[in-house]
Amino acid sequence: MPDINLDEMSMDDLRTLRTQIDRAIASFEDRKRREALAAVERAAREHGFALADLTTAKGGKGRRAAAAAGRATGEARYANPDEPSMTWSGRGRRPRWVSEQIGAGKSLEDMAI
């Protein structure tokens, strides 16, 4: 690497040098990012996957979709014994019919589907 005497450079020369350094750093980072991506894609292929298969969830759009896909869908776990079309997943606020059934002496297990 050549010795550069920064003290003898003009302001324009220093700014030009800084621009060249910034470009070189960006180019280096970009090259490293591409190399890392290629390595990850190779590893995914070696395991029988496309990289997109591992980074998205069921047609989702990234991390949030993957997190949402991992959660339960809210399938009904309980049904009203008096009206079976009224169901509850067991998540969130209890429906009035659940509270009424519990008040009447029934348990959640009695209402399980």
Side-chain angles (χ1 to χ4, degrees):
M1 186 163 143
D3 287 334
I4 299 174
N5 188 348
L6 299 176
D7 293 331
E8 292 179 6
M9 295 178 75
S10 69
M11 184 59 79
D12 287 340
D13 291 340
L14 289 170
R15 286 188 176 134
T16 300
L17 180 60
R18 181 173 56 186
T19 301
Q20 290 172 345
I21 291 171
D22 289 343
R23 285 184 188 151
I25 290 171
S27 174
F28 179 84
E29 289 172 342
D30 204 33
R31 186 173 60 253
K32 287 297 186 181
R33 188 175 295 112
R34 283 193 310 269
E35 289 172 4
L37 183 58
V40 171
E41 287 174 339
R42 263 193 315 277
R45 276 195 311 274
E46 288 173 5
H47 287 88
F49 295 100
L51 183 58
D53 294 340
L54 301 175
T55 57
T56 59
K58 299 180 183 176
K61 302 266 189 237
R63 287 185 189 165
R64 280 197 178 148
R71 289 189 222 126
T73 59
E75 272 186 39
R77 293 175 46 198
Y78 306 101
N80 186 343
D82 300 330
E83 179 57 53
S85 65
M86 298 172 75
T87 61
W88 180 48
S89 68
R91 301 178 94 186
R93 193 169 141 187
R94 284 185 178 166
R96 179 175 293 142
W97 63 264
V98 172
S99 297
E100 289 171 355
Q101 292 290 327
I102 290 174
K106 295 204 176 193
S107 68
L108 281 178
E109 289 77 28
D110 295 331
M111 295 176 271
I113 296 177

